[in-house]
Amino acid sequence: AYRKAKSILDRQIYHFTNGCENCRPDVVGFTSVLSACASEPGDETTKAKAFNVAASTFRQLVQNQDDFGSPNHVTYGTMLKCVARLLPHGSSERKRWTKKLFRECCSKGMVGGMVLSRMREAAGSADEYRHLMKGNTKGSLPKKWTQNVHEKNEFRRRAIGKRGEV
């Protein structure tokens, strides 16, 4: 499935770079490829191939933000899901990617609920999770870490009030 998703994204990029403005891929397309990679079943070799596609797709988005948009909290959460499901537990690559992605999320203000739950899965242990959180808890995150996260439930609560009052 991830090969097909990547093929569609590559086709979009090809047509966009050849002048088709309506074919411009966006962050949703890139995140969809990551999601397909994260869902890849199989042995360690198969998962390593899927992770390589996810990593190159993520890098491609980051390197072309001006054309395709910036990764959002869902993109980061989905990439952390790839790390958790596709890289072997305890591997140095898994630790490196978890640390790198979470630090980027913090610096870009993209730490939301999804990122935290996926980071917990990707972290090798509770100690590693606590270390990455730097003494913060889910309920007491620095504003700087969360300032650019706009989750659906947040909009709904604002629109209808805290308890649904009109």
Side-chain angles (χ1 to χ4, degrees), residues 73 143 146-166:
H73 67 284
K143 179 72 175 153
T146 63
Q147 64 190 358
N148 296 314
V149 176
H150 305 289
E151 295 178 306
K152 287 182 184 176
N153 291 341
E154 183 181 311
F155 289 120
R156 193 173 309 129
R157 273 196 301 273
R158 262 193 238 140
I160 62 171
K162 284 186 179 173
R163 302 208 181 258
E165 64 268 4
V166 180

CSV table of all heavy atoms in Angstrom, one decimal, residues 73 143 146-166:
chain,number,residue,atom,x,y,z
A,73,HIS,N,1.5,19.0,13.2
A,73,HIS,CA,1.5,18.0,14.3
A,73,HIS,C,1.1,16.6,13.9
A,73,HIS,O,1.6,15.6,14.4
A,73,HIS,CB,0.7,18.5,15.5
A,73,HIS,CG,-0.7,18.6,15.3
A,73,HIS,ND1,-1.3,19.6,14.5
A,73,HIS,CD2,-1.7,17.8,15.7
A,73,HIS,CE1,-2.6,19.4,14.5
A,73,HIS,NE2,-2.9,18.3,15.2
A,143,LYS,N,4.1,26.5,26.7
A,143,LYS,CA,3.3,27.0,25.6
A,143,LYS,C,4.1,27.0,24.3
A,143,LYS,O,3.5,26.8,23.2
A,143,LYS,CB,2.9,28.5,26.0
A,143,LYS,CG,2.1,29.2,25.0
A,143,LYS,CD,0.7,28.6,24.9
A,143,LYS,CE,-0.1,29.5,23.9
A,143,LYS,NZ,-1.2,28.7,23.3
A,146,THR,N,3.5,23.9,22.2
A,146,THR,CA,2.2,23.6,21.7
A,146,THR,C,1.5,24.8,20.9
A,146,THR,O,0.4,24.6,20.4
A,146,THR,CB,1.2,23.3,22.9
A,146,THR,OG1,1.1,24.5,23.7
A,146,THR,CG2,1.7,22.1,23.7
A,147,GLN,N,2.2,25.9,20.7
A,147,GLN,CA,1.6,27.1,20.2
A,147,GLN,C,1.1,26.9,18.7
A,147,GLN,O,0.2,27.7,18.3
A,147,GLN,CB,2.6,28.2,20.2
A,147,GLN,CG,3.8,28.1,19.4
A,147,GLN,CD,4.9,29.1,19.7
A,147,GLN,OE1,4.7,30.0,20.5
A,147,GLN,NE2,6.0,29.0,19.1
A,148,ASN,N,1.5,26.0,18.0
A,148,ASN,CA,1.1,25.8,16.6
A,148,ASN,C,0.2,24.6,16.3
A,148,ASN,O,0.0,24.2,15.2
A,148,ASN,CB,2.3,25.8,15.6
A,148,ASN,CG,3.0,27.2,15.7
A,148,ASN,OD1,2.4,28.2,15.6
A,148,ASN,ND2,4.3,27.1,15.8
A,149,VAL,N,-0.3,24.0,17.4
A,149,VAL,CA,-1.1,22.8,17.3
A,149,VAL,C,-2.6,23.3,17.3
A,149,VAL,O,-3.0,24.0,18.2
A,149,VAL,CB,-0.9,21.8,18.4
A,149,VAL,CG1,-1.9,20.7,18.4
A,149,VAL,CG2,0.5,21.4,18.4
A,150,HIS,N,-3.3,22.9,16.3
A,150,HIS,CA,-4.8,23.2,16.2
A,150,HIS,C,-5.5,21.9,16.0
A,150,HIS,O,-5.7,21.5,14.8
A,150,HIS,CB,-5.0,24.2,15.1
A,150,HIS,CG,-4.2,25.5,15.2
A,150,HIS,ND1,-4.4,26.4,16.2
A,150,HIS,CD2,-3.1,25.9,14.5
A,150,HIS,CE1,-3.5,27.4,16.1
A,150,HIS,NE2,-2.7,27.1,15.1
A,151,GLU,N,-5.9,21.3,17.1
A,151,GLU,CA,-6.6,20.0,16.9
A,151,GLU,C,-8.1,20.2,16.8
A,151,GLU,O,-8.7,21.2,17.3
A,151,GLU,CB,-6.3,19.1,18.2
A,151,GLU,CG,-4.8,18.7,18.2
A,151,GLU,CD,-4.4,17.9,19.4
A,151,GLU,OE1,-4.7,18.3,20.5
A,151,GLU,OE2,-3.8,16.9,19.1
A,152,LYS,N,-8.8,19.3,16.1
A,152,LYS,CA,-10.2,19.4,15.8
A,152,LYS,C,-11.0,19.7,17.1
A,152,LYS,O,-11.9,20.5,17.1
A,152,LYS,CB,-10.7,18.2,15.1
A,152,LYS,CG,-10.3,18.1,13.7
A,152,LYS,CD,-10.9,16.9,13.0
A,152,LYS,CE,-10.3,16.8,11.6
A,152,LYS,NZ,-10.8,15.5,11.0
A,153,ASN,N,-10.8,18.9,18.1
A,153,ASN,CA,-11.6,19.0,19.3
A,153,ASN,C,-11.5,20.4,19.9
A,153,ASN,O,-12.4,20.9,20.5
A,153,ASN,CB,-11.2,18.0,20.4
A,153,ASN,CG,-11.6,16.6,19.9
A,153,ASN,OD1,-12.4,16.4,19.1
A,153,ASN,ND2,-10.9,15.6,20.5
A,154,GLU,N,-10.3,21.0,19.8
A,154,GLU,CA,-10.1,22.4,20.3
A,154,GLU,C,-11.0,23.4,19.6
A,154,GLU,O,-11.6,24.2,20.3
A,154,GLU,CB,-8.6,22.8,20.1
A,154,GLU,CG,-8.2,24.1,20.6
A,154,GLU,CD,-6.8,24.4,20.3
A,154,GLU,OE1,-5.9,23.5,20.5
A,154,GLU,OE2,-6.5,25.5,19.8
A,155,PHE,N,-11.2,23.2,18.3
A,155,PHE,CA,-12.1,24.1,17.6
A,155,PHE,C,-13.5,23.9,18.0
A,155,PHE,O,-14.3,24.8,18.2
A,155,PHE,CB,-12.0,23.9,16.1
A,155,PHE,CG,-10.7,24.4,15.5
A,155,PHE,CD1,-9.8,23.5,14.9
A,155,PHE,CD2,-10.3,25.7,15.6
A,155,PHE,CE1,-8.6,24.0,14.3
A,155,PHE,CE2,-9.1,26.2,15.1
A,155,PHE,CZ,-8.3,25.3,14.5
A,156,ARG,N,-13.9,22.7,18.2
A,156,ARG,CA,-15.3,22.3,18.6
A,156,ARG,C,-15.6,22.9,19.9
A,156,ARG,O,-16.7,23.5,20.1
A,156,ARG,CB,-15.5,20.8,18.5
A,156,ARG,CG,-16.9,20.4,18.6
A,156,ARG,CD,-17.2,18.9,18.4
A,156,ARG,NE,-16.5,18.4,17.2
A,156,ARG,CZ,-15.7,17.4,17.2
A,156,ARG,NH1,-15.5,16.7,18.4
A,156,ARG,NH2,-15.2,17.0,16.1
A,157,ARG,N,-14.7,22.8,20.9
A,157,ARG,CA,-14.9,23.3,22.2
A,157,ARG,C,-15.1,24.8,22.2
A,157,ARG,O,-15.9,25.4,22.9
A,157,ARG,CB,-13.8,22.9,23.2
A,157,ARG,CG,-14.0,21.6,23.8
A,157,ARG,CD,-13.0,21.4,25.0
A,157,ARG,NE,-11.6,21.5,24.6
A,157,ARG,CZ,-10.9,20.5,24.2
A,157,ARG,NH1,-11.4,19.3,24.0
A,157,ARG,NH2,-9.6,20.7,23.9
A,158,ARG,N,-14.2,25.5,21.4
A,158,ARG,CA,-14.3,26.9,21.3
A,158,ARG,C,-15.7,27.4,20.7
A,158,ARG,O,-16.3,28.3,21.1
A,158,ARG,CB,-13.2,27.5,20.4
A,158,ARG,CG,-12.1,28.0,21.3
A,158,ARG,CD,-11.1,28.8,20.4
A,158,ARG,NE,-9.8,28.2,20.5
A,158,ARG,CZ,-9.0,28.0,19.5
A,158,ARG,NH1,-9.3,28.4,18.3
A,158,ARG,NH2,-7.8,27.4,19.7
A,159,ALA,N,-16.1,26.6,19.7
A,159,ALA,CA,-17.3,27.0,19.0
A,159,ALA,C,-18.6,26.8,19.8
A,159,ALA,O,-19.5,27.6,19.8
A,159,ALA,CB,-17.5,26.2,17.7
A,160,ILE,N,-18.6,25.7,20.6
A,160,ILE,CA,-19.8,25.4,21.4
A,160,ILE,C,-19.7,25.7,22.9
A,160,ILE,O,-20.6,25.5,23.7
A,160,ILE,CB,-20.4,24.0,21.2
A,160,ILE,CG1,-19.3,23.0,21.6
A,160,ILE,CG2,-20.8,23.8,19.7
A,160,ILE,CD1,-19.9,21.5,21.6
A,161,GLY,N,-18.5,26.1,23.3
A,161,GLY,CA,-18.3,26.3,24.8
A,161,GLY,C,-17.8,25.0,25.4
A,161,GLY,O,-17.9,24.0,24.9
A,162,LYS,N,-17.4,25.2,26.7
A,162,LYS,CA,-16.7,24.0,27.4
A,162,LYS,C,-17.7,22.9,27.6
A,162,LYS,O,-17.3,21.7,27.5
A,162,LYS,CB,-16.2,24.5,28.7
A,162,LYS,CG,-14.9,25.3,28.6
A,162,LYS,CD,-14.3,25.6,29.9
A,162,LYS,CE,-13.0,26.3,29.8
A,162,LYS,NZ,-12.5,26.8,31.0
A,163,ARG,N,-18.9,23.1,27.9
A,163,ARG,CA,-19.9,22.0,28.2
A,163,ARG,C,-21.0,22.0,27.2
A,163,ARG,O,-22.1,21.5,27.5
A,163,ARG,CB,-20.4,22.1,29.6
A,163,ARG,CG,-19.2,22.1,30.6
A,163,ARG,CD,-19.7,21.5,31.9
A,163,ARG,NE,-18.7,21.5,32.9
A,163,ARG,CZ,-18.0,20.4,33.2
A,163,ARG,NH1,-18.2,19.3,32.6
A,163,ARG,NH2,-17.0,20.5,34.1
A,164,GLY,N,-20.9,22.6,26.1
A,164,GLY,CA,-21.9,22.6,25.1
A,164,GLY,C,-23.0,23.7,25.3
A,164,GLY,O,-24.0,23.6,24.6
A,165,GLU,N,-22.8,24.6,26.2
A,165,GLU,CA,-23.8,25.6,26.4
A,165,GLU,C,-23.8,26.5,25.1
A,165,GLU,O,-22.8,26.7,24.4
A,165,GLU,CB,-23.5,26.5,27.6
A,165,GLU,CG,-22.2,27.3,27.6
A,165,GLU,CD,-21.1,26.5,28.3
A,165,GLU,OE1,-21.2,25.4,28.7
A,165,GLU,OE2,-20.0,27.2,28.4
A,166,VAL,N,-24.9,27.1,24.9
A,166,VAL,CA,-25.1,28.0,23.7
A,166,VAL,C,-24.8,29.4,24.0
A,166,VAL,O,-24.9,29.9,25.0
A,166,VAL,CB,-26.5,27.8,23.1
A,166,VAL,CG1,-26.7,28.7,21.9
A,166,VAL,CG2,-26.8,26.4,22.8
